[in-house]
């Protein structure tokens, strides 16, 4: 019985053929090129080179590195970045003053919107990232013992900057109510904006004919004929010197 089994195994091994050349990938590549050239798959990416972020309220940074408090960058030099709705249809924008908002406060605002819009198809976009580490030394700690240990993450929000955007099959009044509840959970004053509303430069809204070029130019146009040469200091002193009446 054992000899019969061994003979069958030997015959099976002799029937196997090992090829020294690798199989050609030409047909596979040709099929892939034809598939990618088709109009259906023209805008489809085969894979993504960017890593998905697990939590927008906690970046992948080293917590041991100390960070300074800093100040939010208010776009007053002619920039409208972050003041208009980009991806969604509605947005929540700060109106009063720039400040630093913690990740816990943003999480509470997000949960408030989700609770209000439960059962509705929508998508919430986050325009800020909590990348500022806040370090606290604790209560009743004497001065001169260092900056302190890590406490929580926060973000700097400038004036008239949009924090949250929403898009979906939701009525405008429902979104207004959801953003109103979220603004009550956040520090400061907030307003409801829609897509297509004019941007803001600093605290100036680009409405009623106000443009970026109008803000960047001098406030008052002066005609060249109205300009007078500025006299030199020596000439002004000679003009102010009284004349000697004696010969």
């Amino acid at each position: 019985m054992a000899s019969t089994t061994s003979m069958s195994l030997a015959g099976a091994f002799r029937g196997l053929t090992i090829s020294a050349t690798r199989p050609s990938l030409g047909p596979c590549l040709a099929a892939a090129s034809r598939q990618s050239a088709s109009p259906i798959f023209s805008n489809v990416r085969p894979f993504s080179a960017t890593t998905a972020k697990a939590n927008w309220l906690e970046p992948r940074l080293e917590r041991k590195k100390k960070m300074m408090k800093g100040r939010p960058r208010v776009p007053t030099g002619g920039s409208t970045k972050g003041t208009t709705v980009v991806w969604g249809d509605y947005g929540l924008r700060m109106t009063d003053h720039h400040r630093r908002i913690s990740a816990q406060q943003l999480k509470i605002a997000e949960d408030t919107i989700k609770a209000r819009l439960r059962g509705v198809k929508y998508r919430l976009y986050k325009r800020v990232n909590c990348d500022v580490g806040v370090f606290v030394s604790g209560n009743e700690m004497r001065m001169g013992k260092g900056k302190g240990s890590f406490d929580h993450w926060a973000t700097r929000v400038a004036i008239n900057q949009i924090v949250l955007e929403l898009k979906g099959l939701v009525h405008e009044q429902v979104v207004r109510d959801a953003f109103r509840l979220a603004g009550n959970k956040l520090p400061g004053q907030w307003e409801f904006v829609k897509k297509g509303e004019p941007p803001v430069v600093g605290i100036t809204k680009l409405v009623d004919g106000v443009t970026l070029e109008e803000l960047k130019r001098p406030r008052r146009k002066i005609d060249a004929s109205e300009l007078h040469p500025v006299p030199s200091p020596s000439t002004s002193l000679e003009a102010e010197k009284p004349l000697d009446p004696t010969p």
Side-chain angles (χ1 to χ4, degrees), residues 72 74 82-83 91-101 105-106 128 155-164 183 186-193 200 202-203 205:
V74 180
T83 60
L92 184 65
R93 183 165 62 185
M94 179 182 288
T95 58
D96 59 342
H97 197 271
H98 60 272
R99 55 175 48 82
R100 190 175 63 182
I101 302 178
Q105 294 172 339
L106 292 175
V128 296
T155 180
R156 303 186 186 102
V157 180
I159 183 174
N160 290 317
Q161 182 178 355
I162 292 181
V163 176
L164 297 173
L186 294 173
Q189 298 179 4
W190 303 81
E191 68 174 351
F192 176 83
V193 294
V200 185
I203 59 175
K205 293 186 178 181

Side-chain angles (χ1 to χ4, degrees), residues 177-209:
D177 188 41
F179 280 169
R180 178 186 60 82
L181 297 175
N184 294 337
K185 302 295 183 181
L186 294 173
Q189 298 179 4
W190 303 81
E191 68 174 351
F192 176 83
V193 294
K194 296 188 296 184
K195 190 170 186 178
E197 291 193 6
V200 185
V201 178
I203 59 175
T204 305
K205 293 186 178 181
L206 302 183
V207 294
D208 299 334

Side-chain angles (χ1 to χ4, degrees), residues 73-117:
R73 296 181 178 180
V74 180
T76 58
S79 175
T80 59
K81 183 178 180 181
T83 60
T84 56
V85 179
V86 179
W87 298 300
D89 296 331
Y90 311 101
L92 184 65
R93 183 165 62 185
M94 179 182 288
T95 58
D96 59 342
H97 197 271
H98 60 272
R99 55 175 48 82
R100 190 175 63 182
I101 302 178
S102 64
Q104 182 65 24
Q105 294 172 339
L106 292 175
K107 180 62 177 176
I108 293 175
E110 182 185 10
D111 295 342
T112 304
I113 295 176
K114 289 182 178 180
R116 179 63 181 85
L117 302 180

Side-chain angles (χ1 to χ4, degrees), residues 126-244:
K126 296 89 173 178
R127 296 288 301 272
V128 296
N129 180 27
C130 298
D131 56 349
V132 180
V134 180
F135 294 79
V136 179
S137 59
N139 297 330
E140 300 182 1
M141 183 68 65
R142 57 169 295 182
M143 299 176 63
K145 292 299 181 180
K147 186 175 180 62
S149 59
F150 176 82
D151 187 71
H152 63 274
W153 290 104
T155 180
R156 303 186 186 102
V157 180
I159 183 174
N160 290 317
Q161 182 178 355
I162 292 181
V163 176
L164 297 173
E165 293 184 11
L166 191 139
K167 182 179 182 179
L169 302 176
V170 195
H171 195 271
E172 179 181 344
Q173 296 299 329
V174 179
V175 181
R176 283 179 179 271
D177 188 41
F179 280 169
R180 178 186 60 82
L181 297 175
N184 294 337
K185 302 295 183 181
L186 294 173
Q189 298 179 4
W190 303 81
E191 68 174 351
F192 176 83
V193 294
K194 296 188 296 184
K195 190 170 186 178
E197 291 193 6
V200 185
V201 178
I203 59 175
T204 305
K205 293 186 178 181
L206 302 183
V207 294
D208 299 334
V210 180
T211 60
L212 283 176
E213 292 75 12
E214 190 75 14
L215 293 176
K216 291 180 180 180
R217 70 168 181 79
R219 293 301 180 185
R220 185 170 62 91
K221 291 184 179 180
I222 302 177
D223 194 8
S225 60
E226 299 179 1
L227 297 177
H228 302 284
V230 179
S232 61
S234 59
T235 306
S236 60
L237 291 177
E238 291 178 359
E240 294 176 358
K241 185 177 181 181
L243 297 176
D244 191 2

Side-chain angles (χ1 to χ4, degrees), residues 46-61:
F47 64 91
S48 177
T50 58
T51 58
K53 187 173 294 184
N55 188 5
W56 67 287
L57 299 173
E58 184 176 351
R60 298 176 181 177
L61 297 176

